[in-house]
Amino acid sequence: MESRRIVLLGATGYTGQRVLRELLVRGAEPTLVGRNRAKMLAVADRFEADLPVAEVDVTSATDLSRLLEPSDVVVSTVGPFMQLGTATVTAAARAGTHYLDSTGEGTFVRRVFELDSVAAARGVTLVPAFGYDYVPGNLAGALALSRAGERARHVEIGYFVTRAGHGDELLYRSTLCDAYTLTTGGTRQTLVGAAAEDGFAYRPPRPGAPSRLVDERAAKRVRTFRYAGVKRAVMTVPGSEHLGLPEVFPQLESVEVGLGWLGRWTRPVQIAAMLQAPLLRSAKVRAAVTRLSGRLPGSQREPDSDGRSLVIAVARDGSGRHLARTALTGPDPYEMTGSLLAWGAVHAAAPDAVLEPGAHGPVAAFGLDTLRLGAAEVGVHEVDEASARSR
């Protein structure tokens, strides 16, 4: 049996080019799909690759349905996903193709999971947010929960950025400046736009009720993580962990995911987000904020090259007592995303690949052992807290 065809959408963008580079390193020859044939050919030439291209409106499910075949693996880096991504994942599910994307938008992740029955009926797998957000958090959370055992009822996951060349990476405390210099304009646009969207969390909707996905705005709470003697704050955000971890660990009563890029500015920014929440209930205001986010300074600036990633997960029992902690380090968020998407696509395209049909988080889709090996292959490794303290 031959490998499936890999179809890459967004290859001319910043993240898409990283995915393309990693696919080529792995020997894949993806079909590039987008609106501008000349730009796609130019990108292929830049990588000295002779690749097929298809000029298609990526916001048209009809056009994409004509292109996609049941044996394909679709990789999409075209965002903002709530605006541009629905047609692609819908066409993939209906065509019977595996699907991965680079979204960091929790609302879009939730939308992809609504296609679970369509994908399952076609025998294919949809895995949104298969990059820095939110593969390492799912992996770290699953490892912590596995070690905690059946007593685990709660899991907390924090995403942080560090820098190389500034002392011990594990002891580095990120700053507000890092949130600007280590990200692209597109990422900052997504973050600002996400603040204007409804979020969610996984918890009981009221005391004594069964846990489920509940509506909850982003940045509703601030949580603190302690690792290797360093205290780090996060703002809560919607992530794929809220959907992906309970399907693997059904005893869970709550899942919390937090963004810890802002350092000491976490609490002030969270308060500002809380104060503006009433204004964002207006559709006109949300639209204006989203438009404004696309005009933020430095939109064309590339991130600094010394960024690194740190993700921490803590499993607790029903009384909130600590049971297990896992920390993963890896390359900067964009390199990690490009490498993970390329690994996932090549793995899914293999003739003997076994994936769980339907819309899933990465652990349920690939299996914990396979995902851990894949993450290690792209430079995402577990670090021991005792060793970090002794450095």
Side-chain angles (χ1 to χ4, degrees):
M1 294 178 62
E2 295 184 356
S3 296
R4 292 170 175 255
R5 179 180 68 160
I6 296 175
V7 177
L8 175 59
L9 284 73
T12 60
Y14 184 79
T15 300
Q17 290 186 49
R18 286 174 173 252
V19 177
L20 175 57
R21 180 190 65 193
E22 294 301 318
L23 284 171
L24 294 172
V25 168
R26 292 174 178 275
E29 296 182 347
T31 296
L32 308 186
V33 176
R35 292 181 174 179
N36 192 314
R37 181 181 182 85
K39 286 185 177 180
M40 290 187 289
L41 289 172
V43 168
D45 288 343
R46 194 176 310 145
F47 287 99
E48 299 180 347
D50 183 14
L51 301 175
V53 300
E55 195 169 37
V56 172
D57 180 358
V58 297
T59 65
S60 170
T62 301
D63 289 355
L64 288 165
S65 295
R66 296 193 189 102
L67 170 73
L68 299 180
E69 301 174 359
S71 60
D72 290 341
V73 175
V74 174
V75 180
S76 177
T77 64
V78 179
F81 284 81
M82 283 300 293
Q83 298 177 34
L84 306 174
T86 300
T88 300
V89 68
T90 301
R94 291 175 177 171
T97 71
H98 293 319
Y99 169 90
L100 305 168
D101 69 38
S102 63
T103 188
E105 302 164 41
T107 307
F108 185 76
V109 171
R110 193 172 184 176
R111 178 170 292 182
V112 173
F113 270 70
E114 293 172 355
L115 293 168
D116 175 65
S117 61
V118 178
R122 297 287 288 163
V124 294
T125 306
L126 314 178
V127 192
F130 201 80
Y132 169 81
D133 4 28
Y134 292 96
V135 171
N138 276 276
L139 177 57
L143 291 173
L145 289 166
S146 295
R147 289 160 187 165
E150 289 300 317
R151 289 191 298 151
R153 294 293 182 272
H154 310 280
V155 65
E156 303 158 3
I157 297 158
Y159 283 82
F160 309 93
V161 289
T162 67
R163 303 189 83 124
H166 294 259
D168 193 321
E169 294 175 17
L170 299 179
L171 304 181
Y172 184 84
R173 298 172 187 260
S174 60
T175 67
L176 186 62
C177 181
D178 292 331
Y180 175 78
T181 60
L182 296 178
T183 61
T184 64
T187 296
R188 295 191 292 277
Q189 180 181 0
T190 297
L191 289 173
V192 174
E197 297 289 343
D198 296 329
F200 53 83
Y202 185 81
R203 64 180 68 257
R206 58 186 180 279
S211 297
R212 62 176 175 82
L213 209 64
V214 297
D215 294 331
E216 180 178 290
R217 64 175 177 79
K220 183 175 182 178
R221 291 177 303 281
V222 170
R223 291 288 184 261
T224 299
F225 286 75
R226 294 180 182 274
Y227 183 78
V230 178
K231 182 179 177 181
R232 297 177 171 90
V234 303
M235 295 183 299
T236 53
V237 295
S240 72
E241 292 91 340
H242 297 105
L243 298 109
L245 291 178
E247 65 177 333
V248 182
F249 301 93
Q251 79 274 19
L252 279 174
E253 297 176 4
S254 73
V255 178
E256 283 205 335
V257 182
L259 184 66
W261 290 5
L262 305 178
R264 295 177 180 177
W265 282 85
T266 300
R267 176 66 74 176
V269 171
Q270 185 262 346
I271 293 173
M274 180 178 61
L275 292 175
Q276 72 175 359
L279 295 174
L280 294 177
R281 295 192 183 104
S282 164
K284 289 184 178 180
V285 173
R286 288 201 304 270
V289 169
T290 302
R291 288 195 300 272
L292 178 63
S293 67
R295 302 169 186 169
L296 293 173
S299 60
Q300 303 303 316
R301 181 186 184 278
E302 290 197 1
D304 291 351
S305 60
D306 61 348
R308 296 280 297 169
S309 302
L310 172 66
V311 178
I312 303 170
V314 180
R316 301 186 185 276
D317 66 12
S319 300
R321 289 186 292 265
H322 170 272
L323 295 176
R325 179 184 289 110
T326 299
L328 303 176
T329 60
D332 77 84
Y334 303 99
E335 181 180 342
M336 184 189 297
T337 296
S339 298
L340 281 170
L341 279 168
W343 172 83
V346 171
H347 181 88
D352 58 350
V354 178
L355 280 74
E356 184 68 22
H360 298 291
V363 178
F366 288 85
L368 179 55
D369 290 338
T370 298
L371 185 66
R372 178 169 49 184
L373 291 173
E377 189 177 317
V378 304
V380 180
H381 301 284
E382 187 172 353
V383 289
D384 179 69
E385 184 173 11
S387 300
R389 285 178 180 274
S390 65
R391 294 185 185 185

